[in-house]
């Protein structure tokens, strides 16, 4: 190669040397940029996965506590007796005992806003907002069915209902006798850990979703109750991010399923935010190369 260049003038040799140096620097800079980009992406992905796991574990812990409370209501003989009682005087006596039981159970988890009982007759407990509760969706013989996120006119906020059918188990019979329903009204902000103080620029947007991808909690409180279009449908690959394009922007989406409430927790971060610092470095590198090309051109002209 050097022997071949000696056939040409010094000017051509210097030009070839400058181009070679420029190509080597470009390759080195490009490789370094890709390495830094890969490291930044991996660190953000690791941080996001850790945050999603923490949120999921917190919700699972709360759900486990609630799931252990529900059978103490649905299978309680006092509750069953109260729902079947038709005598108004006896109802009042039983109501006081039921209220004491339910108040104590409600105090066991701060996410429980209220406990509701409804039966086929006149017996009920705190059933003022029963019209908003989807009793018709509850499967038979379930210990705890989590509804989707719903706006309650009675509580004037978005809530989740945990529902269970109540059967008369006081007498053994081959025929199941459903006598009503029990419902726990859950405060969304207490069910999930507080994530409204997470920085969107650093961590992106975090959302806790129900089975219909409706937002129940997150670091964007204004969107609670909305449906999140960027949320992935179907099975979620563990730890694998998805890419979503919207309005010409690229978003990086992480998601973790929360089987306890049949929902998911999702993180959405614009790619431009993740690579904001790298884009500035890229512009700086391009500026340096532009200056280097100008200097080489000036030297070439001077030698000519």
């Amino acid at each position: 190669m050097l022997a071949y260049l000696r056939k040409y003038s010094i000017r051509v040799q210097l030009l070839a040397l400058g181009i070679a140096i420029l190509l080597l620097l470009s390759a080195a800079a490009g490789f370094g940029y890709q390495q830094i980009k890969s490291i930044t992406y991996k660190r953000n992905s690791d941080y996001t996965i850790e945050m999603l796991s923490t949120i999921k574990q917190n919700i699972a812990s709360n759900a486990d506590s609630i799931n252990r409370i529900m059978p103490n209501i649905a299978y309680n003989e006092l509750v069953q007796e109260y729902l079947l009682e038709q005598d108004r005087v006896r109802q009042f006596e039983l109501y006081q005992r039921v209220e004491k039981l339910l108040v104590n159970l409600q105090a066991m988890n701060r996410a429980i806003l209220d406990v509701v009982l409804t039966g086929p007759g006149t017996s009920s407990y705190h059933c003022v907002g029963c019209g908003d509760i989807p009793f018709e969706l509850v499967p038979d013989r379930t210990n705890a069915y989590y509804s989707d996120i719903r706006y309650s006119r009675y509580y004037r906020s978005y809530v989740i209902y945990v529902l269970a059918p109540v059967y008369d188990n006081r007498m053994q019979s081959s025929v199941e006798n459903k006598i009503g329903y029990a419902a726990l009204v859950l405060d969304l902000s207490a069910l999930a850990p507080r994530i409204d103080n997470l920085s969107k620029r650093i961590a992106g947007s975090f959302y806790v979703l129900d089975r219909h991808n409706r937002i129940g909690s997150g670091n964007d409180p204004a969107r609670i109750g909305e449906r999140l279009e960027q949320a992935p449908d179907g099975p979620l690959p563990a730890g694998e991010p998805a890419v979503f394009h919207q309005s010409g922007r690229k978003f990086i989406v992480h998601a973790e399923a929360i089987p306890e409430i049949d929902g998911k927790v999702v993180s959405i971060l614009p790619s431009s935010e993740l690579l904001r610092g790298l884009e500035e470095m890229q512009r700086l590198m391009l500026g340096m190369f532009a200056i280097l090309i100008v200097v080489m051109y000036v030297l070439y002209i001077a030698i000519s």
Side-chain angles (χ1 to χ4, degrees):
M1 182 68 179
L2 292 176
Y4 177 77
L5 287 176
R6 289 194 185 101
K7 299 178 182 179
Y8 297 92
S9 64
I10 296 295
R11 183 178 62 182
V12 174
Q13 293 181 30
L14 290 175
L15 179 62
L17 181 61
I19 293 173
I21 292 173
L22 186 62
L23 291 175
L24 286 173
L25 289 176
S26 299
F31 177 77
Y33 175 79
Q34 290 299 324
Q35 289 295 105
I36 295 174
K37 182 179 177 180
S38 176
I39 293 171
T40 302
Y41 185 86
K42 185 178 184 306
R43 286 183 176 178
N44 176 269
S45 182
D46 291 344
Y47 169 77
T48 301
I49 291 171
E50 184 179 352
M51 284 296 302
L52 294 181
S53 178
T54 300
I55 295 170
K56 176 182 176 179
Q57 289 174 12
N58 190 284
I59 295 175
S61 176
N62 266 326
D64 180 67
S65 171
I66 291 163
N67 292 347
R68 283 186 276 108
I69 292 172
M70 184 58 87
N72 290 321
I73 301 173
Y75 293 97
N76 188 281
E77 291 188 2
L78 176 61
V79 170
Q80 296 168 18
E81 183 181 358
Y82 172 70
L83 291 178
L84 288 170
E85 186 59 57
Q86 298 299 319
D87 182 76
R88 303 295 289 180
V89 176
R90 180 60 178 160
Q91 279 182 10
F92 179 74
E93 295 174 354
L94 291 173
Y95 180 91
Q96 293 179 314
R97 295 170 60 189
V98 168
E99 182 176 42
K100 183 177 179 180
L101 167 70
L102 298 184
V103 167
N104 289 335
L105 290 174
Q106 182 178 345
M108 295 177 64
N109 192 297
R110 65 186 183 90
I112 302 176
L113 287 176
D114 204 354
V115 182
V116 176
L117 295 175
T118 181
T122 57
S123 296
S124 64
Y125 179 84
H126 285 195
C127 202
V128 179
C130 278
D132 296 328
I133 304 177
F135 292 114
E136 70 280 0
L137 299 179
V138 183
D140 293 335
R141 284 299 177 186
T142 182
N143 289 328
Y145 172 79
Y146 285 76
S147 75
D148 53 354
I149 294 165
R150 294 174 176 244
Y151 183 81
S152 170
R153 293 169 292 177
Y154 179 70
Y155 299 101
R156 297 182 180 180
S157 63
Y158 286 95
V159 298
I160 284 182
Y161 299 102
V162 183
L163 309 161
V166 180
Y167 292 89
D168 184 6
N169 296 323
R170 296 175 304 167
M171 298 180 62
Q172 297 296 326
S173 173
S174 59
V175 180
E176 294 181 334
N177 180 24
K178 186 189 295 184
I179 59 175
Y181 293 93
L184 299 178
V185 186
L186 302 187
D187 178 10
L188 294 174
S189 61
L191 179 64
R194 184 176 179 183
I195 54 179
D196 57 347
N197 55 354
L198 290 175
S199 171
K200 293 183 186 178
R201 184 170 181 178
I202 297 175
S205 298
F206 282 84
Y207 302 104
V208 177
L209 311 178
D210 66 6
R211 61 172 58 83
H212 301 306
N213 291 339
R214 192 171 290 113
I215 300 170
S217 179
N219 56 352
D220 190 359
R223 297 195 63 186
I224 289 179
E226 295 181 13
R227 191 177 188 280
L228 188 65
E229 299 297 336
Q230 297 98 325
D233 294 316
L236 303 173
E240 290 296 327
V243 176
F244 182 88
H245 293 86
Q246 186 180 53
S247 302
R249 300 182 67 192
K250 178 182 176 182
F251 296 87
I252 301 170
V253 182
H254 288 81
E256 277 269 5
I258 309 176
E260 289 80 6
I261 64 172
D262 197 15
K264 60 177 73 75
V265 56
V266 175
S267 165
I268 300 176
L269 178 66
S271 178
S272 58
E273 290 293 335
L274 176 62
L275 304 176
R276 181 182 293 273
L278 294 182
E279 289 175 351
E280 294 175 357
M281 184 182 74
Q282 188 181 38
R283 285 193 292 269
L284 179 62
M285 291 170 60
L286 290 175
M288 293 176 61
F289 280 120
I291 294 173
L292 181 59
I293 291 173
V294 170
V295 170
M296 290 176 60
Y297 180 74
V298 171
L299 289 176
Y300 177 77
I301 295 299
I303 293 174
S304 299

